[in-house]
């Protein structure tokens, strides 16, 4: 019998419990309040960053999981209350430090990729959501910024309905399927129209980049609105190390429109890393036969014209649309399907085509 648990022993295991959103030890974050031990009875006070923290149950589960197996623990009681403003402020300052360099500027550690197209509805958002998950599945840390402020679709595609929360003045991305996301959809009532004008748009994107706790991900994928214009300009200003991946469909007319997205990239002085052709062909589920539904080969032509690699050809597949509507991208919902396989290959091609910034030694 190893006797009663000790306060030190409990704090030691709590040190390994990470906040699901902040990815730091709850002890280091100052989220562990009083810990009292009376014989086999343990009481732990957890200080939540906000009162209605949506991840409360998860934190409770993680704490329970490490404390209950400790020798001598008979009953565990966890109380949760919210931090004071001052505690929150201290936590927030600890996260960002006084002059922490941005991971998105020259010399930063994050590879930033904007997914663009000349026209709407070619599958940018579906592709961005799937690439983000595919990269996360390869062990990378991934942020997904929904820069389509008026026509946002990432929350629905990634199946997230909970609102983003702020710690002090720092906005937390919403995390699902291993991807950290920020979208105007996490900040507004569903279906309420967003009617901001140009300057507001730039301000919103600026906040999404500078006031969100992205925590230096390996990749930041940016889902752009259709067309060219204001948002690309903002992106070039705010994320000067970005490169673009251009999405087109195979039709020649579509390819011509996609060319405009490439022209925009060159106007704002950002490189194009490659082209992804979407809705390229159809694989009959019963026979496996492949049908080129739209002729044209627009993706290959555009890539050749720009002198960049064709990073992938994604088949037209009902499961892509279904999975998007259900909130679980096809790479996770049907990982063996032709579209999922093509999307995973495209993710690998991106890893190969876009060099990771040389990391300065820390
Ligand atoms: N490979 C595919 N197979 C079948 N359906 C697809 C495929 N790619 C996208 N879709 C569907 O096509 C529609 C448009 O896709 P999506 O919203 O991703 O395009 P978008 O380029 O982001 O559009 P917008 O320009 O409006 O932002 C969606 O309903 C989506 O589910
Ligand atoms: Mg979109």
């Amino acid at each position: 019998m190893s006797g009663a648990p000790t306060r030190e022993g409990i704090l030691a295991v709590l040190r390994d419990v990470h906040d699901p959103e902040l990815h730091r030890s709850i002890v280091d974050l100052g989220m562990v309040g009083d810990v009292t031990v009376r014989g086999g009875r343990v009481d732990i006070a957890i200080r939540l960053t906000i009162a209605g923290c949506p991840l409360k149950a998860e934190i409770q589960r993680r704490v329970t999981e490490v404390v209950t197996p400790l020798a001598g623990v008979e009953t565990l009681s966890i109380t949760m209350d919210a931090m004071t403003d001052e505690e929150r402020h201290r936590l927030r300052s600890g996260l960002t430090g006084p002059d922490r360099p941005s991971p998105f500027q020259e010399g930063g550690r994050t590879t930033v990729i904007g997914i663009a197209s000349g026209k709407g509805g070619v599958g940018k958002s579906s592709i961005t959501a799937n690439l983000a998950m595919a990269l996360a599945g390869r062990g990378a840390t991934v942020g997904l910024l929904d820069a389509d402020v008026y026509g946002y679709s990432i929350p629905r595609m990634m199946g997230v309905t909970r609102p983003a929360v702020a710690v002090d003045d720092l906005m937390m991305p919403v995390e699902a399927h291993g991807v950290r996301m920020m979208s105007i959809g996490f900040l507004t009532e569903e279906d309420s129209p967003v009617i901001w004008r140009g300057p507001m748009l730039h301000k919103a994107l600026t906040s999404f980049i500078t006031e969100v706790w992205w925590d230096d991900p390996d990749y930041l994928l940016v889902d752009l609105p259709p067309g060219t214009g204001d948002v690309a300009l903002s992106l070039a200003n705010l994320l000067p190390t970005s490169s673009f991946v251009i999405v087109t469909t195979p039709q020649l007319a579509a390819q011509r429109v996609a060319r405009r997205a490439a022209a925009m990239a060159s106007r704002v002085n950002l490189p194009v890393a490659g082209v992804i052709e979407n809705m390229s062909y159809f694989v009959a589920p019963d026979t496996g036969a492949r049908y080129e539904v739209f002729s044209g080969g627009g993706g290959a032509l555009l890539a050749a014209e720009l002198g960049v690699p064709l990073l992938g050809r994604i088949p037209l597949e009902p499961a892509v649309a279904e999975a998007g509507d259900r909130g679980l991208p096809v790479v996770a919902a049907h990982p063996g399907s032709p579209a999922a396989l093509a999307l995973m290959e495209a993710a690998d091609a991106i890893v190969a085509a876009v060099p990771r910034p040389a990391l300065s030694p820390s």
Side-chain angles (χ1 to χ4, degrees):
M1 202 42 220
S2 48
T6 63
R7 188 170 175 279
E8 289 65 40
I10 288 164
L11 283 173
V13 294
L14 289 179
R15 197 165 281 284
D16 292 333
V17 174
H18 282 201
D19 179 86
E21 238 163 15
L22 299 170
H23 307 285
R24 297 283 188 278
S25 160
I26 57 171
V27 174
D28 295 343
L29 289 169
M31 292 173 65
V32 176
D34 290 340
V35 174
T36 53
V37 182
R38 285 183 215 93
R41 182 188 161 89
V42 177
D43 292 274
I44 301 175
I46 296 292
R47 319 274 297 144
L48 297 167
T49 50
I50 53 158
C53 176
L55 299 164
K56 201 166 159 172
E58 175 59 19
I59 297 170
Q60 178 149 12
R61 193 192 65 73
R62 291 185 183 188
V63 169
T64 308
E65 190 178 87
V66 297
V67 175
T68 41
L70 290 179
V73 175
E74 284 157 17
T75 51
L76 167 65
S77 141
I78 302 173
T79 51
M80 299 195 152
D81 56 6
M83 288 182 168
T84 62
D85 287 347
E86 200 191 316
E87 286 168 329
R88 238 189 312 273
H89 185 68
R90 210 175 309 135
L91 184 155
R92 184 245 186 274
S93 309
L95 285 177
T96 52
D99 39 30
R100 193 166 165 278
S102 162
F104 306 135
Q105 300 295 318
E106 220 54 68
R109 73 173 307 278
T110 301
T111 300
V112 185
I113 301 170
I115 317 291
S117 73
K119 66 177 194 137
V122 295
K124 286 177 299 300
S125 302
S126 311
I127 286 177
T128 312
N130 278 287
L131 289 177
M133 280 196 71
L135 290 169
R138 276 155 179 60
T141 49
V142 184
L144 199 177
L145 169 60
D146 185 351
D148 193 347
V149 171
Y150 302 110
Y152 62 88
S153 52
I154 291 299
R156 180 179 51 78
M157 284 186 183
M158 295 293 276
V160 186
T161 47
R162 65 195 150 90
V165 301
V167 175
D168 204 31
D169 60 349
L170 191 62
M171 189 66 71
M172 296 297 124
V174 175
E175 187 163 334
H177 315 304
V179 177
R180 303 165 194 172
M181 295 170 277
M182 187 45 72
S183 168
I184 200 82
F186 299 141
L187 307 174
T188 52
E189 295 288 316
E190 198 170 357
D191 299 331
S192 71
V194 180
I195 41 171
W196 294 348
R197 305 203 178 277
M200 288 285 279
L201 189 64
H202 183 74
K203 197 158 173 286
L205 291 172
T206 308
S207 307
F208 281 179
I209 290 158
T210 59
E211 291 163 31
V212 170
W213 170 241
W214 290 105
D215 197 14
D216 301 12
D218 295 324
Y219 290 93
L220 179 72
L221 302 189
V222 185
D223 180 24
L224 290 165
T228 51
D230 287 357
V231 173
L233 257 176
S234 290
L235 183 70
N237 273 317
L238 294 163
L239 299 168
T241 61
S242 323
S243 31
F244 281 101
V245 164
I246 296 178
V247 180
T248 182
T249 52
Q251 301 93 316
L252 292 177
Q255 173 236 338
R256 277 195 292 276
V257 180
R259 205 186 271 154
R260 284 184 217 148
M264 160 203 69
S266 94
R267 222 168 25 245
V268 296
N269 261 322
L270 292 177
V272 174
V275 173
I276 294 181
E277 187 185 84
N278 190 27
M279 313 194 189
S280 295
Y281 52 91
F282 177 74
V283 181
D286 45 352
T287 61
R290 194 160 148 158
Y291 299 92
E292 302 283 330
V293 185
F294 307 109
S295 59
L301 284 172
L302 182 66
E305 186 180 312
L306 301 175
V308 298
L310 180 62
L311 299 165
R313 296 186 77 220
I314 318 299
L316 185 72
E317 189 175 293
V320 174
E322 256 164 50
D325 288 341
R326 273 201 303 132
L328 184 65
V330 73
V331 292
H334 303 281
S337 72
L341 293 172
L343 284 157
M344 286 190 266
E345 266 177 44
D348 290 337
I350 287 183
V351 172
V354 186
R356 298 266 303 124
L359 301 184
S360 43
S362 51

